[in-house]
Amino acid sequence: MSCFLGIDAGTSGVKAVVMDASGALLGKGYGECDLITPRPSWVEQDPQAWWEACDAAVRQAVAKSGRGGEVAGIGFSGQMQGLTLMDKEMKPIGNCMIWLDQRASAEAEELNRRIDPAEALEITANHCLPSYWAAKLLWLRKNRPEVVPAFHVPFYPVTPVIAIILSIFMVTRMDGKAILIGTAWIIIGFIVYCLFHKTGLKRFCVIKKEEG
C-alpha cells in the first residue's frame, strides 16, 4: 500500500513525516538548523544546512516507518520571505537572509515613501516590510553590489530542498507512480511591483500580463 512523505522546512529545523493513505502516522524525524546572527537584526541560515537537516529528518522518518520503498508522493511546506540568491548554475550565493532578518528596515521605509500608499494597497494589498524580497534586494544593491551581477534568480528557503528531493525522487522512482508535489509559490504583487518599477534591479522571473 502506498504511503506519503511530508517535509516542512521551518525556521529552527526540518520536520519529516511518513503517513499512509488514511492519514495515520508511520514515522517522523527532525533535523535542526542553526541561526546565524553576525550583527544585531541580521538573521541568516546556510542553505547547505537545510539539506543536511532534511536528509537527517527524512532518514529518521523513513526508517521508523519501514515503508520507504512505498512512498508514492511528497508534500512540502516551509518558511517564507527568506531570500536565497542563486547563480546561473543554481548554486546558492552565500547565506539566506531569512524572514527574521530586519537589516532592510531603511529600504522598506524608502520603498513605502516612494510608492503612494493607496496605489500599493490597490495593487498588492500590502505595504513593504523589511522581510520582503524587494527591501532585501535593494539593501543588497546598496551594500553588497558585487553580488548583484552574480545572481540569476532568488529562491525561498524551501525551494532548493524541493529541487534536490524532486531530482532524486524522479531518478530513483521511474516506475510510473504519480509524484505529488504540494508547494506554495507565493510571490506577492508588492515584490514584483517594487522590483521592476521602483528599485531598478535587473528583471528576472518577469510575468507578462496578456492583453485582452
Side-chain angles (χ1 to χ4, degrees):
M1 181 179 294
S2 297
C3 57
F4 304 92
L5 173 66
I7 300 171
D8 175 52
T11 304
S12 58
V14 178
K15 297 179 287 293
V17 296
V18 177
M19 308 179 75
D20 65 18
S22 70
L25 181 65
L26 304 176
K28 62 181 179 179
Y30 179 76
E32 187 171 346
C33 294
D34 292 333
L35 298 180
I36 302 169
T37 54
R39 296 185 185 182
S41 79
W42 291 28
V43 188
E44 305 173 356
Q45 284 184 322
D46 179 0
Q48 179 63 28
W50 298 331
W51 171 243
E52 293 173 359
C54 179
D55 180 61
V58 170
R59 286 178 184 274
Q60 293 169 32
V62 169
K64 291 176 182 177
S65 74
R67 303 270 296 274
E70 301 172 43
V71 173
I74 309 175
F76 295 94
S77 65
Q79 55 169 303
M80 304 297 288
Q81 300 178 13
L83 176 61
T84 309
L85 302 182
M86 309 295 287
D87 64 18
K88 289 185 178 181
E89 296 180 354
M90 303 309 286
K91 296 180 179 179
I93 303 172
N95 291 332
C96 170
M97 299 163 62
I98 70 169
W99 65 274
L100 286 169
D101 194 290
Q102 297 295 300
R103 76 185 72 179
S105 296
E107 286 70 28
E109 293 177 1
E110 177 184 343
L111 289 169
N112 284 323
R113 287 194 301 271
R114 287 192 200 179
I115 306 168
D116 178 74
E119 181 184 15
L121 288 173
E122 180 181 357
I123 295 173
T124 71
N126 278 281
H127 296 295
C128 188
L129 298 176
S131 57
Y132 289 176
W133 281 2
K136 288 175 177 174
L137 285 167
L138 186 56
W139 183 93
L140 285 168
R141 192 182 69 172
K142 290 180 178 179
N143 296 278
R144 295 186 61 196
E146 71 280 3
V147 307
V148 175
F151 85 86
H152 184 57
V153 291
F155 275 174
Y156 283 126
V158 72
T159 315
V161 174
I162 293 175
I164 295 172
I165 289 286
L166 180 57
S167 64
I168 294 172
F169 196 78
M170 290 182 71
V171 168
T172 60
R173 297 299 300 274
M174 299 298 287
D175 57 1
K177 290 187 177 180
I179 299 175
L180 177 62
I181 304 298
T183 183
W185 293 87
I186 305 173
I187 302 178
I188 59 174
F190 197 101
I191 297 169
V192 177
Y193 182 69
C194 288
L195 283 175
F196 300 155
H197 298 285
K198 300 296 181 180
T199 67
L201 290 163
K202 67 179 183 180
R203 292 181 175 232
F204 45 79
C205 311
V206 177
I207 302 174
K208 294 183 179 180
K209 183 179 180 181
E210 295 184 1
E211 300 293 333

